Amino acid sequence: MHLYIKNMVCNRCILVVKQELEKLNIESRTVSLGEVETENELPKETVEQLAHNLASLGFELLDNSKQQLIEKIKNIVINQVHHSEEASNHNFSEVLSNALHKDYSYLSSLFSEVEGVTIEKYIINQKIEKVKELIIYDELSLSEIAYKLNYSSVAHLSNQFKKVTGLTPSHFKKVGEQKRKPLDKV
């Protein structure tokens, strides 16, 4: 049985969901961002209890296929931006279409309809959050950050950063941590 869970954005989320599954004695094959595959079909009561437990932790069990597809899109973007070590030269439109076996124009219009923001804007917001994280860590130069996140130039990154945050990257570095957002709030 496949279960789809909204707001899973990191490895700690996976750990928390695994713990909730164990509490309810639910055997899982896999637990990944936004998705759980169980060994067996679950009784309705168990699914409802899991949904309740997850909701108390800030997660949401999805039952609508459109919502599940939106969550898959978000998880692919988050994986590409936040958890991929190498710079990707692929367009997100190609990555999403190939991974979900759907036409990008369909994915884009569905995402905009349900989320009220375009996929492109969502990707930009995720990339800016990653830039904030990397600036705060202070391990990479702005040029290295631009390369890592597949920006065409430091100027492009800086312009986009200022457009989204209202701050230049150097000013953000001074004000720091209080301006970052949790990934599920982006």
Side-chain angles (χ1 to χ4, degrees):
M1 175 176 200
H2 281 276
L3 301 171
Y4 298 93
I5 302 170
K6 185 175 182 178
N7 296 331
M8 288 180 71
V9 296
C10 65
N11 290 333
R12 273 184 244 108
C13 295
I14 292 171
L15 182 64
V16 168
V17 169
K18 282 182 179 178
Q19 290 171 346
E20 289 305 310
L21 294 170
E22 288 171 11
K23 284 181 189 174
L24 294 173
N25 295 317
I26 299 172
E27 294 182 32
S28 61
R29 282 191 192 138
T30 60
V31 179
S32 58
L33 289 180
E35 190 173 347
V36 171
E37 184 180 358
T38 63
E39 291 288 342
N40 306 304
E41 287 294 315
L42 301 176
K44 183 180 177 190
E45 300 79 29
T46 304
V47 173
E48 288 172 356
Q49 184 62 51
L50 179 62
H52 174 75
N53 292 3
L54 293 174
S56 70
L57 297 166
F59 301 111
E60 182 182 341
L61 197 57
L62 301 174
D63 57 0
N64 174 318
S65 64
K66 286 184 177 180
Q67 276 294 89
Q68 292 171 5
L69 188 56
I70 296 299
E71 203 57 27
K72 286 180 182 179
I73 291 169
K74 288 180 174 182
N75 288 328
I76 290 167
V77 170
I78 288 170
N79 271 326
Q80 288 285 312
V81 173
H82 295 279
H83 304 298
S84 180
E85 287 304 313
E86 70 276 347
S88 172
N89 291 331
H90 299 330
N91 291 334
F92 273 97
S93 57
E94 286 176 29
V95 171
L96 291 169
S97 290
N98 291 338
L100 300 172
H101 310 293
K102 304 253 187 240
D103 184 61
Y104 181 74
S105 59
Y106 169 75
L107 296 173
S108 180
S109 66
L110 176 68
F111 193 91
S112 297
E113 172 191 323
V114 173
E115 291 295 309
V117 65
T118 64
I119 290 176
E120 291 78 12
K121 184 74 172 159
Y122 182 77
I123 292 166
I124 289 168
N125 289 339
Q126 289 296 331
K127 286 173 84 171
I128 295 303
E129 285 307 309
K130 183 66 175 179
V131 171
K132 289 178 183 180
E133 176 186 326
L134 294 171
I135 287 172
I136 288 169
Y137 290 165
D138 201 24
E139 294 174 349
L140 301 174
S141 69
L142 209 51
S143 177
E144 292 168 322
I145 293 171
Y147 174 77
K148 180 177 178 72
L149 294 176
N150 204 28
Y151 280 95
S152 57
S153 66
V154 173
H156 181 220
L157 181 150
S158 296
N159 288 337
Q160 200 170 71
F161 192 91
K162 179 151 184 160
K163 186 186 270 186
V164 172
T165 66
L167 304 170
T168 64
S170 58
H171 188 252
F172 175 80
K173 192 172 187 171
K174 291 176 189 164
V175 289
E177 191 77 36
Q178 68 266 24
K179 294 287 185 176
R180 288 195 56 210
K181 297 178 189 172
L183 294 183
D184 61 334
K185 303 292 185 221
V186 174

